[in-house]
Amino acid sequence: MTELPSPATSLMTIGTFAQATRLSSKALRLYDDLGLLPPTHVDAHTGYRYYAPAQLDAARLIGLLRQLNMPLNAIHAALQAAPGERPALIRRYWASAEQRHTAHRALAAYVLNTLEGDTMTQTFTVHTRDLPTRLIATIQRRVYQPDLDGFLPPSIERLIEFIPAQGAAIAGPPFVIYHGAVTADSDGPVEVCVPYTGTLTPTAGITLREEEAHHEAYVTVTKRQFEFPTILEAFDVTAAYAGAHGTCSDLICREVYPYGWDQADPEALAAEVAWPYLPNG
């Protein structure tokens, strides 16, 4: 903090500054603690905070951005940026916020449809298949829903590179097993798998195991249908089919990726949602 300026320089007490900015004194203390808006001077004897009129614009900007639910760390980044760079930072944040709002609106519709027993918004055709016993290389981790995109593609890529590098052969498309719910509060775990034939040596972070032969129901989903929470309907359909035609096995629901993901068309096939089960009879 700077030394207290001369009386000719006008400083504002925290109460006066709070009134001028329409921010509470509690909020100003928080912004000080976080380094967002430190006062110009703090009296060494009383601890009173004093603000300069030049800080009014920054304080008002912080208040407005908080009304947009912008996180404090993102506000800090905006304040540290050059004034000309701030609009782009705020636009990027708001675009992300609108995407989250769209996903929340779809999730709310899904929850209401489930509670009210309404027809699903998507149409899926359920297929079945038998899969043999197979060897799989896997990477497993506990991960929350917001972090899935940062875990799945790199793990798949690592396994696809690992298998042929040791002289083995990839024997099927990658798939992901969800051993538990993956949400903002639940972290699975999630297991990325790639089937292989041949001989491999385990390495750090990669596990080798055998998955038993099984029967499963599955549906194909497009890139548009793969978006959360629409993908939940695909899991519901396969789970319902498995329950109606047998008993769910000890194996867990999964996503299978036999298609190229890089296609831009939202109606292009992107993946399969599969649910293992033990058929009746």
Side-chain angles (χ1 to χ4, degrees), residues 127-147:
H127 307 276
T128 62
R129 61 189 169 205
D130 291 300
L131 292 176
T133 299
R134 53 187 179 170
L135 299 173
I136 55 175
T138 81
I139 298 174
Q140 182 170 303
R141 184 180 303 169
R142 290 194 172 275
V143 59
Y144 294 99
Q145 195 274 331
D147 302 317

Side-chain angles (χ1 to χ4, degrees), residues 15 49 56 67 71 86 112 114 146 148 152 165 222 232 264 267 269:
R49 294 169 167 86
L56 287 169
Q67 291 185 58
R86 291 174 184 172
L112 291 172
T114 301
L148 269 180
L152 297 184
T222 63
L232 296 178
E267 302 306 320
L269 293 178

Side-chain angles (χ1 to χ4, degrees), residues 131-138 173 175-177 179 191 193-196 208-216 249-254 256 276:
L131 292 176
T133 299
R134 53 187 179 170
L135 299 173
I136 55 175
T138 81
F175 61 98
V176 173
I177 300 175
H179 293 277
E191 187 177 21
C193 310
V194 175
Y196 72 93
L208 308 176
R209 65 181 179 86
E210 183 180 86
E211 183 176 64
E212 64 189 69
H214 64 274
H215 192 75
E216 64 185 25
S249 72
D250 293 334
L251 301 176
I252 311 297
C253 60
R254 66 269 315 269
V256 187

Side-chain angles (χ1 to χ4, degrees), residues 69-83:
N69 291 322
M70 194 170 188
L72 291 171
N73 63 337
I75 294 176
H76 186 271
L79 292 176
Q80 294 300 308

Side-chain angles (χ1 to χ4, degrees), residues 31 34 36 62 65-79 93-94 96-97 100:
Y31 300 157
L34 296 175
L36 275 179
I62 293 172
L65 294 179
R66 286 301 289 157
Q67 291 185 58
L68 291 177
N69 291 322
M70 194 170 188
L72 291 171
N73 63 337
I75 294 176
H76 186 271
L79 292 176
Y93 163 74
W94 188 243
S96 176
R100 290 193 299 272

Side-chain angles (χ1 to χ4, degrees), residues 99-220:
Q99 290 177 348
R100 290 193 299 272
H101 181 73
T102 298
H104 289 163
R105 182 169 56 241
L107 180 57
Y110 170 80
V111 172
L112 291 172
N113 287 343
T114 301
L115 293 175
E116 296 170 351
D118 288 348
T119 304
M120 291 186 177
T121 62
Q122 306 296 312
T123 300
F124 298 99
T125 300
V126 180
H127 307 276
T128 62
R129 61 189 169 205
D130 291 300
L131 292 176
T133 299
R134 53 187 179 170
L135 299 173
I136 55 175
T138 81
I139 298 174
Q140 182 170 303
R141 184 180 303 169
R142 290 194 172 275
V143 59
Y144 294 99
Q145 195 274 331
D147 302 317
L148 269 180
D149 287 344
F151 169 62
L152 297 184
S155 298
I156 291 173
E157 183 177 354
R158 184 184 177 195
L159 290 173
I160 288 176
E161 292 175 352
F162 166 75
I163 292 171
Q166 292 204 10
I170 295 173
F175 61 98
V176 173
I177 300 175
Y178 294 93
H179 293 277
V182 178
T183 67
D185 302 315
S186 299
D187 58 356
V190 179
E191 187 177 21
V192 176
C193 310
V194 175
Y196 72 93
T197 57
T199 302
L200 293 177
T201 301
T203 190
I206 296 179
T207 300
L208 308 176
R209 65 181 179 86
E210 183 180 86
E211 183 176 64
E212 64 189 69
H214 64 274
H215 192 75
E216 64 185 25
Y218 71 96
V219 299
T220 57

